[in-house]
Amino acid sequence: DIDALDPVHAPSTGTIVRGGLTFREAHYVAEAVAETGQLVSMDMVEVNNELGKEDPTAGKRTTEMAMVLITSALGSKIF
């Protein structure tokens, strides 16, 4: 779920978790999953661009974070 991340990184979600995972912590988890070679399917849920409209960039930031985490889980690494 994208809502495991701190809302600074993924504000457009139904269940905000203040003090949630940081950008780097989330990528570490996704990269660790990729390194197992065991990932056969993945859902990224709780991304809701209709939420967080008080910040006009919230939906885009949340969607981009979800996409980056998916690519990390599939083997892409950040440096």
Side-chain angles (χ1 to χ4, degrees):
D1 290 11
I2 197 75
D3 59 11
L5 276 73
D6 190 276
V8 167
H9 306 293
S12 291
T13 185
T15 307
I16 292 176
V17 179
R18 302 218 185 279
L21 296 173
T22 66
F23 175 83
R24 184 63 200 125
E25 290 168 338
H27 281 281
Y28 173 78
V29 171
E31 289 169 357
V33 168
E35 287 176 6
T36 70
Q38 299 295 307
L39 182 67
V40 294
S41 68
M42 181 177 177
D43 290 329
M44 180 59 73
V45 296
E46 299 293 332
V47 176
N48 186 342
N49 290 340
E50 295 299 312
L51 300 174
K53 288 191 172 187
E54 60 278 355
D55 176 355
T57 66
K60 182 178 182 194
R61 287 187 295 129
T62 304
T63 300
E64 287 175 352
M65 177 60 78
M67 292 179 354
V68 170
L69 289 176
I70 291 167
T71 59
S72 287
L74 294 173
S76 180
K77 292 189 181 259
I78 63 169
F79 298 97

